[in-house]
Amino acid sequence: MKKTLFYLTIFFCGLFSSEAFAQENQTIFKSSGIRRSGGYAAISNKFTKINGHYANMPEIYGGWFVNQRFLLGVAAAATTNYIPVPFDAQNFPGNKVTYQYGQVGLMTEYVVASTKRVHFNVNLMTGTGFSMQYDRRELDDWDDFDWDDYDEDAKFFFVMEPGVQVEFNLLKWMRFSPGVSYRKAFNARGNGLSDSDLSNISYNLTLKFGRF
């Protein structure tokens, strides 16, 4: 009986020691999992040019913020000011024909040292851009507005906009992020606008609100 207990003790000691010294499988990609999950929304204003003219373009974006590093969300932006259409490119006769430009798509943002008072991030918007024309003077006067003075034939194309921001942590739930980005249009056709007319640098002022 004593021998049996002795051999059983030796067996279990050997079993536990082999498990203790066992090594984990080595992998190419390591994942530490989601340690912190938050989210935020941003309101931004872009100062840029379209077809050589100044364009003011408000933007909103936001989404899921993972591990205080990576944002996965959506973004939308559109011009608000008068961008004159050359007479030979007008789709219809009007008193003050202007371009309307907008974009919507996937927004990703990678934040470096998010907990520091001052840090930076890089971001990328990829999605669909569109352009159209309308008579701005008619639009300003809603009583006399005529839908014939609005171009319903919008032109759609692919657009990418990578950017970088310097970020200031004003409060735990609010950040100020001035930055710069470059908008690149691909295969834009119609409305008298080419890829080069729509592609340009943007200077951005952004406020962010949320759980960082």
Side-chain angles (χ1 to χ4, degrees), residues 4-69:
T4 302
L5 290 174
F6 176 76
Y7 290 135
L8 286 173
T9 302
I10 295 296
F11 172 77
F12 283 111
C13 287
L15 179 64
F16 290 142
S17 63
S18 64
E19 289 182 356
F21 288 101
Q23 296 181 348
E24 294 184 358
N25 291 330
Q26 295 183 350
T27 60
I28 296 175
F29 301 104
K30 294 183 178 180
S31 174
S32 57
I34 298 175
R35 301 184 305 276
R36 179 183 173 91
S37 181
Y40 59 86
I43 54 174
S44 181
N45 200 84
K46 297 176 179 289
F47 308 94
T48 185
K49 285 187 175 183
I50 290 177
N51 200 27
H53 296 275
Y54 168 72
N56 187 75
M57 188 158 53
E59 179 183 49
I60 58 172
Y61 69 88
W64 181 32
F65 192 42
V66 185
N67 290 342
Q68 296 181 302
R69 291 183 181 180

Side-chain angles (χ1 to χ4, degrees), residues 161-181:
E161 187 168 5
V164 62
Q165 295 176 337
V166 178
E167 201 156 82
F168 301 88
N169 294 353
L170 302 181
L171 298 168
K172 289 184 177 180
W173 50 270
M174 182 172 69
R175 296 180 174 185
F176 174 58
S177 308
V180 62
S181 59

